[in-house]
Amino acid sequence: MNVSSNPHVARSTFGLLPDGTEVERITLQAADGLEARIMTYGASLQALLVPDTAGRRDDIVLGHDTFEGYLARRQFFGATVGRYANRIAGARFRLDGAKVQLAANNGANALHGGLEGFDSRNWRIVAIEDGDHPAVTLAYTSAHGEEGYPGALEVEVTWRLAGPMELMLDMTARTDRPTVVNLTNHSFFNLAGARSGRNILDHRLTVAADHFLAIDAGAIPLPQPPSAVTDTPFDFRAGVEVGARIRNDHPQLRVGRGYDHNFCLAPANGEPRFAARLAEPASGRVLELFTNQPGLQVYSGNFLDGSTAGKGGRLYRQSDAMCLEPHAWPDTPNRPDFPTARLSPGEVYRHTTLYRFTHANGGAIGTQSEVELPGGGG
């Protein structure tokens, strides 16, 4: 694929749903080599090409080279997750005194929107912008009662190349009656490359959080206040290799089979603030994440078990990727002590996350004019 000297957008067919509906892919491409490929199915980040310190681009998110892989098994690769990301205990909660019963799809709990969440819907394209900051906006209307959630919800997701080596994700939602909303993106990052065959245990992770939520065997937060990270394997404030303590004999690492926990971020006041940094030593790639969300789910790919062949025919195994999912705290509708996820008519839910790429010494990433990768966009 030739990288244009000017930012641009390309649009193409990526696959077909069983009923023949077209699934499109929109490629956002910048002069500095950053390229994002967005699939209408699940409003998903299907590929993200980022140069390393030598200028070589690699796709750094797990997934599939063809659409058939996404249909074969639901694994949330790069997907927009909703109406409520993460878990709600017992698949039920009360809202204004009324019981809300959801679809249970994770044991007795509701996970990532239910049996058919936003990740399983083919979103419609409502806007495409070319120019210096190319973008695509996708929309989905979630009907009142879908998966048990009250209120018709109008959702829009915008992916934009916002600046030099920056990918911005903006999500908004409006409802016609009181409901709960918690959206996130579920990309699986491996900064060495999705086809590299390397795991993420040598990635150095920084998380700007003093507390995390301890969980039970069903990954539901325990009925207690957030736990301090001090003197635990969950203290990433100064930056630690993911694998340094992941096999420590800590009860929360046992119950999560590694890291699969919500970290409690400082109040954002609606504006994105620094939440996490992920650095990979061989490529020199560094991902910095800024968000306005109250929590960050850190998941070390614990349940990737080698049963899925992904990009380049690679079998995805435990710790082959790291998910950094900004969103509301899990089970918030049942926890009045947690930051609220309620949305009322007349209000606008706003989620903003910025992914910024640099290299290990803090400088700008180099570019390469021409790189050939499988599954080229456009």
Side-chain angles (χ1 to χ4, degrees):
M1 164 179 277
N2 292 323
V3 179
S4 168
S5 60
N6 296 306
H8 76 277
V9 180
R11 183 173 177 174
S12 61
T13 299
F14 188 57
L16 298 174
L17 292 171
D19 65 0
T21 301
E22 180 184 26
V23 173
E24 293 191 74
R25 184 169 65 178
I26 303 88
T27 298
L28 309 178
Q29 193 166 284
D32 52 19
L34 182 65
E35 181 177 318
R37 301 172 185 168
I38 312 302
M39 176 174 61
T40 55
Y41 186 76
S44 303
L45 182 61
Q46 188 269 326
L48 182 60
L49 280 59
V50 179
D52 63 11
T53 53
R56 175 177 173 77
R57 298 194 311 162
D58 282 297
D59 182 3
I60 62 163
V61 292
L62 271 56
H64 300 282
D65 292 320
T66 63
F67 179 59
E68 288 73 21
Y70 293 93
L71 277 182
R73 186 177 178 186
R74 186 187 186 197
Q75 292 181 286
F76 307 103
F77 289 134
T80 294
V81 175
R83 178 177 306 195
Y84 199 96
N86 214 310
R87 293 164 179 83
I88 295 178
R92 63 180 181 272
F93 61 94
R94 288 192 173 273
L95 185 65
D96 296 337
K99 181 180 177 181
V100 177
Q101 182 65 55
L102 307 174
N105 65 318
N106 186 240
N109 306 318
L111 172 68
H112 291 339
L115 299 171
E116 290 189 68
F118 292 179
D119 61 291
S120 302
R121 309 293 180 174
N122 197 32
W123 294 51
R124 62 188 185 274
I125 298 171
V126 295
I128 292 178
E129 303 172 47
D130 208 331
D132 291 339
H133 304 293
V136 59
T137 298
L138 304 104
Y140 175 67
T141 301
S142 176
H144 168 63
E146 183 177 282
E147 298 292 326
Y149 288 94
L153 195 73
E154 298 287 343
V155 188
E156 287 195 351
V157 170
T158 298
W159 291 97
R160 180 183 303 277
L161 301 186
M165 303 310 301
E166 292 182 348
L167 176 64
M168 179 79 80
L169 172 61
D170 283 306
M171 298 191 275
T172 61
R174 295 170 173 83
T175 185
D176 65 353
R177 68 188 75 191
T179 190
V180 295
V181 180
N182 179 28
L183 309 180
T184 196
N185 178 262
H186 205 301
S187 286
F188 288 70
F189 293 101
N190 185 321
L191 299 187
R195 299 170 178 82
S196 67
R198 300 171 62 93
N199 62 38
I200 50 86
L201 296 179
D202 65 348
H203 285 42
R204 188 174 182 87
L205 176 65
T206 303
V207 180
D210 296 330
H211 296 83
F212 75 101
L213 297 182
I215 56 175
D216 64 17
I220 299 296
L222 295 174
Q224 65 187 43
S227 302
V229 301
T230 303
D231 297 327
T232 77
F234 294 83
D235 191 350
F236 287 98
R237 291 174 294 184
V240 180
E241 286 189 353
V242 174
R245 301 173 301 196
I246 197 170
R247 289 181 173 80
N248 284 15
D249 187 15
H250 187 282
Q252 281 298 303
L253 291 176
R254 288 201 303 268
V255 75
R257 300 190 187 183
Y259 297 107
D260 191 8
H261 295 75
N262 178 81
F263 285 73
C264 308
L265 304 176
N269 299 318
E271 296 299 322
R273 78 299 202 198
F274 174 75
R277 183 178 190 266
L278 193 63
E280 197 277 320
S283 68
R285 294 186 184 94
V286 175
L287 164 61
E288 294 179 329
L289 187 151
F290 301 78
T291 186
N292 65 350
Q293 294 301 290
L296 181 72
Q297 188 79 9
V298 174
Y299 171 55
S300 53
N302 314 326
F303 294 94
L304 297 173
D305 59 4
S307 62
T308 295
K311 293 173 179 176
R314 291 283 184 181
L315 294 178
Y316 292 147
R317 299 189 183 278
Q318 188 178 50
S319 300
D320 274 355
M322 170 67 70
C323 296
L324 300 171
E325 306 163 58
H327 56 49
W329 299 3
D331 201 30
T332 287
N334 289 310
R335 294 292 298 267
D337 54 323
F338 286 0
T340 184
R342 179 191 175 103
L343 183 69
S344 297
E347 299 176 341
V348 180
Y349 166 91
R350 298 187 185 277
H351 172 138
T352 298
T353 293
L354 175 69
Y355 306 94
R356 177 182 295 161
F357 295 94
T358 62
H359 63 59
N361 64 16
I365 290 181
T367 60
Q368 181 168 311
S369 62
E370 190 168 314
V371 179
E372 192 70 28
L373 287 174

